[in-house]
Amino acid sequence: MRKTKKLLSMLLGSMIAVSAVGSIRAEALAYFVDNPLEAPAGYVEYNDTSGLFAGIVNNNVYSSYIKFLDEDEESVEIWLYYDFTYNTTRFTVNHEKIAEFDAIYEKYSAELDMDYYKREGAPSNKPELGAKVIIFDQYDENGNKTKDPTVMESKQELISEMTAEMYKAGCLLDAEYSGMAALGMKGFHQSLVMFVNLNGQTAGSEIERLDEISAKYYDKHKVIYDGTETLDLYYVRVGFREADELAEEIKEVYPDASCDIGVFLNSAETVASGTTDLIAEIEETACDIDENGTVEITDATAILESYANTAAGIAAASAENPMDVNGDGAVGIDDATFVLTVYAELAAGMR
C-alpha cells in the first residue's frame, strides 16, 4: 500500500509538472500522398520526351531533374526517380512472434492484395534485431508501373488496422508506412555524349549522316562509330540543351534508333512522401482516452480514476478496457505513466 501511494504521488507530481504545456494533438494519420515527390533542392524538372535516361533506369517509368554546373551548360547533375511504389510498409518483427505476425497478415492478405511481399529473417547472431518485412504496390489497374499516385488505391486505413492488431499481439518492433516511394539515383556528366544505337548493321556507314544532323545542334559535335556484330553503336558529342531535339531528329531519320546519354552514377537512395510511424500513431490514438483528438493530462487522470475504482471494487475490470493503453491486460499506474510519456514526447517534438 505504501509503495502504491508513493507511485501515485510521483505520477501526480509528473502530471502537475507537464500540465502547463497544454493539450497535444494526437492526430498522426498521414494522407496517402500528401506531398508528391518533388525536385531535389537546386534542381528543376526535365521533361525527357526522347527517353534519354531510359537506358539508365532499365526502361522503368521515371522522373528526371537537372542542375547545370557551369555557364556553358556542359556540366550537369542529374537526379532520376524510378521504381515507384505505393502503400509501402516496412515492419520489424519480434523474432519470437513470427507465427503470430504471419497469422494476422494472412487474415488481411486477400483484402490487401499487395503486389509485393518479402521477408528477411532476423540475423542468427542478433535475433533481437527482428525480422524485416516489406510490402508494397507497384502496378495500376492495367498492370503497368506508374509514377502517377492518382491512379493508385490507398490501403493506408486497412494497413493501419492490421498493424494495430499486430502491435497489440506484441509482434512489432517498428512499423512505417509511405504513401509513395521511389529509388533516387544521382549522376553527373560533362561534355555530354549520346549513345545512338541504330539497331541495324550499318558498320559505321552512317557517321557522315549523323555528323550532318548533329552539326545543326552543337558546334563541338563529334561522331564516332563503336559498333559490333550485334550492336550498331555510335557516340555523338552534344550539349545537354540540344540533346533532346537532336535525339528526336535522329529518330525521325532512323525510326528504329534508340538514344541514351552517358551518366557517371555516384549515389542512390530511397525517397518517399506521406510517411507515417504506424506505432507512434497507434500509441497516440490509444492515449487519447476521451477521443477528443488530443493527448492530455485528463487522459492520464481518467486512467487513474478507473484504476482506483477497480481497486476499490466500485467498478469491475474489463478484458477489453480501452484504458489498457500499454496492452499488458490490466489498467493501472503503468498505463497512466505511458500516457504521460507519450504526452511529454509530443510536447518535446520527439514524435
Side-chain angles (χ1 to χ4, degrees):
M1 185 65 173
R2 195 172 294 171
K3 185 177 181 181
T4 301
K5 285 183 178 179
K6 184 177 180 182
L7 284 170
L8 282 169
S9 176
M10 290 173 62
L11 184 57
L12 289 170
S14 299
M15 290 168 65
I16 293 169
V18 298
S19 62
V21 179
S23 301
I24 305 297
R25 299 201 67 77
E27 298 168 353
L29 187 66
Y31 294 101
F32 176 44
V33 178
D34 59 356
N35 183 25
L37 303 180
E38 298 176 344
Y43 289 74
V44 295
E45 187 166 11
Y46 177 73
N47 188 15
D48 186 16
T49 56
S50 297
L52 297 174
F53 304 122
I56 300 173
V57 297
N58 296 319
N59 294 310
N60 267 288
V61 175
Y62 62 97
S63 296
S64 51
Y65 306 91
I66 63 169
K67 178 171 68 175
F68 289 109
L69 303 178
D70 58 17
E71 292 182 1
D72 294 333
E73 298 185 346
E74 290 192 351
S75 297
V76 62
E77 280 187 351
I78 302 161
W79 262 106
L80 302 176
Y81 291 167
Y82 69 103
D83 219 13
F84 293 87
T85 64
Y86 302 88
N87 298 303
T88 304
T89 312
R90 301 175 186 275
F91 298 108
T92 303
V93 185
N94 182 345
H95 72 286
E96 296 179 349
K97 295 282 187 175
I98 290 292
E100 289 90 335
F101 175 90
D102 288 342
I104 295 171
Y105 185 82
E106 179 63 26
K107 187 171 74 171
Y108 286 88
S109 62
E111 188 176 358
L112 279 173
D113 191 26
M114 304 299 292
D115 291 335
Y116 183 92
Y117 174 100
K118 182 180 180 180
R119 186 173 85 196
E120 294 182 359
S124 57
N125 59 333
K126 289 188 176 181
E128 68 277 5
L129 296 180
K132 303 293 183 181
V133 174
I134 180 172
I135 58 175
F136 60 76
D137 289 317
Q138 196 164 36
Y139 301 98
D140 64 18
E141 61 181 6
N142 298 314
N144 299 317
K145 291 184 177 182
T146 179
K147 61 179 182 179
D148 180 5
T150 66
V151 302
M152 300 298 291
E153 175 191 1
S154 171
K155 300 176 182 177
Q156 182 172 358
E157 187 173 343
L158 186 60
I159 289 172
S160 292
E161 179 185 329
M162 176 182 70
T163 304
E165 189 170 338
M166 291 173 171
Y167 177 76
K168 188 175 181 180
C171 299
L172 302 178
L173 303 179
D174 293 294
E176 183 180 85
Y177 171 90
S178 296
M180 180 183 188
L183 292 179
M185 182 186 294
K186 183 180 179 182
F188 167 83
H189 204 64
Q190 186 175 22
S191 299
L192 193 69
V193 172
M194 181 186 296
F195 302 112
V196 179
N197 184 0
L198 297 186
N199 289 302
Q201 294 293 324
T202 65
S205 63
E206 300 305 304
I207 287 182
E208 224 176 276
R209 182 72 178 107
L210 287 171
D211 187 79
E212 180 185 341
I213 295 172
S214 60
K216 302 178 189 178
Y217 297 93
Y218 194 57
D219 56 5
K220 300 177 185 177
H221 70 284
K222 187 174 184 179
V223 180
I224 298 173
Y225 178 71
D226 191 34
T228 64
E229 291 183 1
T230 57
L231 189 64
D232 199 16
L233 184 65
Y234 293 79
Y235 297 153
V236 180
R237 186 180 178 194
V238 62
F240 190 86
R241 287 291 188 191
E242 300 80 23
D244 191 62
E245 290 183 3
L246 173 57
E248 289 294 339
E249 183 166 346
I250 289 174
K251 290 178 181 179
E252 286 179 11
V253 178
Y254 305 96
D256 295 331
S258 60
C259 301
D260 301 288
I261 63 170
V263 176
F264 296 105
L265 301 176
N266 55 20
S267 69
E269 62 184 64
T270 298
V271 293
S273 67
T275 301
T276 300
D277 182 335
L278 294 175
I279 291 181
E281 175 188 281
I282 292 165
E283 292 177 347
E284 289 161 29
T285 301
C287 289
D288 180 20
I289 302 300
D290 56 12
E291 299 182 351
N292 69 348
T294 62
V295 178
E296 306 168 288
I297 298 299
T298 53
D299 295 310
T301 303
I303 292 175
L304 287 177
E305 289 176 351
S306 175
Y307 168 67
N309 289 338
T310 300
I314 298 173
S318 170
E320 294 294 330
N321 196 322
M323 295 188 186
D324 178 20
V325 295
N326 64 2
D328 65 357
V331 177
I333 293 172
D334 289 345
D335 296 295
T337 303
F338 188 85
V339 171
L340 285 176
T341 300
V342 170
Y343 175 82
E345 288 177 355
L346 286 167
M350 297 169 62
R351 286 175 174 260

